[in-house]
Every structure is written in structure tokens, then in C-alpha cells.
Amino acid sequence: MRRAVLRGILLSMLVLASATLASANSAVPPPGLRDVGIEQRLDQALPLDLRFRDESDNPVKLGDFFGRKPVLLSFVYYHCPMLCPMALEGLVRSLRPLSWNVGDEFQIVTVSIDEHETAAQAAEKKRTIVASYGRDHAAAGWHFLVGEGDAGRRLAEAVGFRFRYDGASDQFAHATGLFVLTPLGRISRVLFGIDYAPRDVRLALVEASEQKIGTLADQLLLFCYHYDPATGKYGPAAMAGVRIGGVLTLFGVAAFVVSQLRHESARRKA
């Protein structure tokens, strides 16, 4: 019987090892996508001297959009058939529940990774997205840029946004993510995916602004939630829960002691 048990344990370990290896192999991206992804470079300073052209074909520097407010930075290419429009619409859906408005509490800079795209393409994409967002004055705070030369690629490299061009299909293989930047042009947070939780966007903006925007409720949420670089999202802070539980326990014990003392005092008087 002991041998049978040992054989069963050994078989289970082999099955588990096989499953683990199979999972690891399935997680390895195909050769064409191995250089595609987002590398988090928190606190990295952006090259603010890079030159672009905005949707009105005016020359601008990246630094023109920094100085007073936090900035959301996204990378797309305007003739993208599917993923980029999905990412921009996902960002719009994430922004709608916020009481803050683009251009008031924060700005958005969307940069093309295709150095051959034009300001006219940027303007067309801006009209579509700003109309979908549907708030007054948003056009003044959401900027759609095309790079002068390889400025878009250089900015992407600086923040860790890696992509690959496929000449056969004239498309770019790239990930999706949202870079949350401080008013001084440093990477504060990176949110992954297409749809971002409005709570995560709000908390990331509060942190990027060094808590110069937001309410007391936002401060309490930041106490209870923390940013996880591995997932690019905010999750419950375990230590905060322990601390809150400890404080509540102390209050409970104190209330019990006071109650018992009052009861004893009343009994003596009686």
C-alpha cells in the first residue's frame, strides 16, 4: 500500500510538472511578437524636447503639454483597422463616469507610432473620439500628434512601449496601455489593457498630480488600494485592511471596557 501511495504521489507530480511546462510553453509569444509589449519604467523622465505636429499641423514640442496638470499618454496609429479604435473607445468609456473633464483636471496626448501618418489623419481621428466623449472643451485638452521624423518611435522607446511593423500587411503589432504622467513629465503609473476601470484612472491621476486633485474620498481609496505594477491595476491593499481591522478592534475593545466600567459603576451605585 505504501508503494501504491508513493506511485500515486509521483504520478501526480509528473502530471503537475507536465501541465506547468505546457502552460509555460503556451505563454511564449510567437517570434513576430517577442519584441512587442510594454516595459514599465516608473519614474522615467520623458524626452520633452521631442518635436511633433498636432492635428492642426502646427509644430509642437512634447513639453508644451506639461507643467501644470497630469497627462494621459496613449500610442496608436490612425489607420489601424481594429485594435487602436477599440483602445481609444475603451479610454472614452473609462473617462465618461469621471466627474473630471479632459482639459480641466488633466490632459490627454495621443501619439501616432507611424512616422508616415499626417496631421489630417490625426484631425479626423480626433473629431471622431472627441465627439464620442461628448463633453464641452474636450478638444482643447485632448491632443492628437504625429511625429516629425521618428519622434513617435523615440518617445515609445523612452517609455517602454515596444511595437513591430509588418510590411506585408502595412500594420503594426503592438500592445495597448495607458501611461499616466506627472505634470513634470515623469511616468507615474501604467494601466494595461483596452478598458480601464474608472476608479483606476482616477486614482492614478490623483497620484500623478501628487494629490493636488481629488477629494477626501480619493485619499481614503488610495489608503485602501495600491497599484500593482505586475497587473497595471489597483487592488485592495492587504496591509491597509490589517491596519483598519486593528484600529476597529482597538475601538471595539475600548468601547467594551468603557461599557463594562459604566455597568460596574451603575451596579455599585444601585
Side-chain angles (χ1 to χ4, degrees):
M1 184 175 293
R2 182 177 298 176
R3 288 181 180 177
V5 171
L6 291 175
R7 287 173 182 170
I9 293 174
L10 180 59
L11 181 59
S12 299
M13 292 176 66
L14 289 173
V15 171
L16 179 61
S18 300
T20 302
L21 288 174
S23 176
N25 290 334
S26 65
V28 175
L33 297 179
R34 288 177 185 171
D35 296 331
V36 174
I38 296 176
E39 176 188 349
Q40 293 207 51
R41 299 178 181 176
L42 301 182
D43 203 38
Q44 173 78 28
L46 271 65
L48 299 180
D49 58 339
L50 287 178
R51 296 184 177 275
F52 295 86
R53 303 194 77 84
D54 67 12
E55 63 280 345
S56 299
D57 205 23
N58 296 318
V60 295
K61 287 198 305 182
L62 184 63
D64 295 341
F65 308 108
F66 292 85
R68 296 186 301 111
K69 302 172 183 177
V71 175
L72 301 179
L73 172 66
S74 67
F75 291 95
V76 300
Y77 62 104
Y78 300 126
H79 70 279
C80 176
M82 185 173 64
L83 185 57
C84 296
M86 290 173 60
L88 289 172
E89 286 294 341
L91 177 54
V92 168
R93 286 192 298 271
S94 302
L95 297 176
R96 286 194 189 115
L98 300 183
S99 58
W100 301 337
N101 296 310
V102 176
D104 293 339
E105 288 81 8
F106 64 97
Q107 296 200 79
I108 303 179
V109 175
T110 297
V111 176
S112 172
I113 56 177
D114 186 348
E115 60 188 68
H116 301 294
E117 289 192 318
T118 66
Q121 290 172 292
E124 179 60 31
K125 183 61 65 176
K126 177 171 181 173
R127 279 193 292 270
T128 302
I129 297 302
V130 170
S132 177
Y133 180 53
R135 296 196 186 180
D136 296 337
H137 314 302
W142 197 330
H143 314 279
F144 286 70
L145 309 182
V146 292
E148 289 193 351
D150 63 348
R153 180 179 292 275
R154 290 167 60 191
L155 177 59
E157 291 175 351
V159 302
F161 184 86
R162 303 193 307 271
F163 61 91
R164 178 187 290 270
Y165 175 67
D166 178 22
S169 62
D170 189 28
Q171 295 183 24
F172 290 81
H174 62 91
T176 57
L178 188 64
F179 296 83
V180 187
L181 312 173
T182 70
L184 296 181
R186 305 187 80 89
I187 301 173
S188 175
R189 296 288 181 254
V190 182
L191 304 180
F192 297 144
I194 294 177
D195 281 296
Y196 313 101
R199 179 201 65 204
D200 288 357
V201 176
R202 186 179 182 96
L203 292 180
L205 285 170
V206 171
E207 288 193 301
S209 71
E210 297 180 347
Q211 302 182 5
K212 293 178 181 177
I213 61 176
T215 63
L216 178 60
D218 295 315
Q219 309 305 321
L220 293 175
L221 278 176
L222 279 174
F223 182 77
C224 297
Y225 287 84
H226 77 285
Y227 174 76
D228 183 358
T231 62
K233 296 180 180 180
Y234 284 80
M239 286 306 299
V242 171
R243 290 168 185 160
I244 292 173
V247 171
L248 293 176
T249 300
L250 288 175
F251 275 114
V253 171
F256 176 77
V257 171
V258 170
S259 166
Q260 291 301 309
L261 289 175
R262 288 180 177 176
H263 178 72
E264 181 66 20
S265 176
R267 187 182 65 80
R268 288 179 179 177
K269 288 180 180 180

